[in-house]
Each structure stands twice: as C-alpha cells, then as structure tokens.
Amino acid sequence: MFTYTDELPLFLSSNISFNQKDDYVTLELTIKNNSDKKYKISSIEDNLTNENLSLSYDYEKEYIEKDKTASIFVRLEYKKQLLNVDEISLNNLNIKINFEREDGAHNEIIVNPATGDSILHYLVLLIIALAGIILIV
C-alpha cells in the first residue's frame, strides 16, 4: 500500500520477464488518502518510449475520502517481439499520477519502478575472483 507523503517519488522493484508477444502483467497500486481533503485521480502519465511495450491504466474516477483507499491497475504488455536482444530496461520509466483536490488544487505522485540490476552481486564475485587470483599467485 502506498501512502501519499512528501517522501516522493515512490520506487517499485520487480522482476518481470516476458517470453512471448502479447504477454502482460497487471500491477495494483493502492493509494490511501491521509489528508483531510478529498482527492481524485485526474490523469496518469508516463514517459515510456519503448515501442515493444505498452502501458495502460485503469483507476476509479471518484473522489477519495479521508482515510479511504483507491486502486490503480497498471497493465504492462509486451507488444512487439524482440530479436537478438536479451532484455529491456525500464530504469528511466516514470509514472506520474495527477490528483485534483475538491477545491480544484492539483498534486502529483511520481512512481519509478526501480527495475535495474543490482551491482552488489557483481562486486562480490569480483572480490572472490581477486582473492582467488591472489591465493593462486
């Protein structure tokens, strides 16, 4: 569950693999309104430029009352088969959720799915390899 705070952007991590064209995954984001004011999701934007993938969103258009939640369903679909490429990186993907308050004011949340590879296990392998070389020499 994601709670609207000032500690934004939100980072999501996932291990998504697509094997065939038209494979898809649906993620559910739950947002809780901790404010005294009512908010509704006015729009959702992203910066996806990859022609092999498509993003679509399904969300409630009603105002979210205080201490109530709303769900956003994010569908990521593999639209075009890749040839001779092992993986697609989504490290720079940002999803911006725009909110409208009852009085007309606007807020936004930026969600960044941190789908990058962790360098930590490569560093551990390097250290083990260097230690082995030193022991052999």
Side-chain angles (χ1 to χ4, degrees), residues 12-113:
L12 304 176
S13 106
S14 65
N15 251 347
I16 300 171
S17 295
F18 296 114
N19 296 315
Q20 297 178 6
K21 183 178 172 268
D22 297 327
D23 280 354
Y24 68 91
V25 63
T26 302
L27 306 169
E28 180 181 8
L29 304 177
T30 303
I31 297 176
K32 182 177 181 180
N33 181 2
N34 290 334
S35 171
D36 291 335
K37 311 235 187 254
K38 294 181 187 176
Y39 286 89
K40 74 175 178 180
I41 300 170
S42 59
S43 65
I44 300 177
E45 305 166 9
D46 61 63
N47 66 343
L48 182 68
T49 57
N50 190 313
E51 62 188 35
N52 300 305
L53 300 173
S54 72
L55 275 172
S56 60
Y57 308 97
D58 185 27
Y59 55 92
E60 300 169 22
K61 312 282 193 254
E62 312 299 319
Y63 280 100
I64 307 165
E65 304 282 335
K66 178 184 179 197
D67 295 326
K68 300 290 182 184
T69 60
S71 293
I72 301 170
F73 295 94
V74 181
R75 180 181 168 127
L76 181 60
E77 187 172 353
Y78 187 40
K79 297 296 284 178
K80 185 176 169 187
Q81 186 79 31
L82 285 173
L83 300 174
N84 301 325
V85 177
D86 291 335
E87 61 185 51
I88 298 173
S89 174
L90 293 175
N91 291 337
N92 296 326
L93 175 65
N94 286 314
I95 300 170
K96 184 168 71 169
I97 304 169
N98 298 304
F99 291 93
E100 183 179 329
R101 206 166 54 200
E102 244 182 335
D103 62 5
H106 294 277
N107 288 12
E108 66 184 34
I109 295 177
I110 297 175
V111 180
N112 183 330

